């Protein structure tokens, strides 16, 4: 698995557009962890829809990972 960085603007934008609207997902997974007063939720969504038109060698699937952390009433999302 590789992380798409901002120095690949075309692929980065294509992935952002894919997950901005309704998308046909291959799979999803959700994990919730609690540590003291902190709750962390990680949500992974995976799709193969970019394969047909992305000009990226050996592309098999792309995923979106959203990490949400809540501690003392404050929530952050990455």
């Amino acid at each position: 698995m590789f992380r798409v960085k901002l120095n690949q603007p075309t692929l980065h934008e294509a992935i952002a557009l894919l997950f901005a609207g309704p998308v046909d997902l291959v799979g999803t997974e959700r994990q919730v962890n609690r540590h003291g007063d902190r709750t962390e939720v990680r949500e992974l969504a995976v799709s193969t829809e970019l394969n047909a038109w992305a000009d990226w060698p050996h592309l098999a699937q792309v995923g979106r990972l959203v990490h949400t952390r809540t501690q003392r009433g404050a929530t952050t999302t990455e």
Side-chain angles (χ1 to χ4, degrees):
M1 176 166 40
F2 296 96
R3 183 175 180 175
V4 177
K5 298 180 183 175
L6 293 176
N7 66 350
Q8 298 293 332
T10 305
L11 183 59
H12 195 272
E13 288 174 19
I15 293 169
L17 279 173
L18 174 69
F19 286 108
V23 62
D24 187 22
L25 298 175
V26 173
T28 61
E29 185 65 36
R30 184 169 196 241
Q31 178 184 39
V32 179
N33 292 33
R34 289 184 178 79
H35 307 277
D37 65 345
R38 183 178 73 226
T39 301
E40 296 182 357
V41 179
R42 291 175 184 83
E43 296 175 302
L44 176 65
V46 180
S47 176
T48 58
E49 284 192 25
L50 274 182
N51 299 1
W53 58 272
D55 185 23
W56 194 259
H58 311 293
L59 179 66
Q61 60 189 10
V62 294
R64 174 188 62 200
L65 177 63
V66 178
H67 181 205
T68 305
R69 181 181 303 119
T70 303
Q71 186 171 16
R72 296 187 197 112
T75 300
T76 59
T77 301
E78 293 179 23

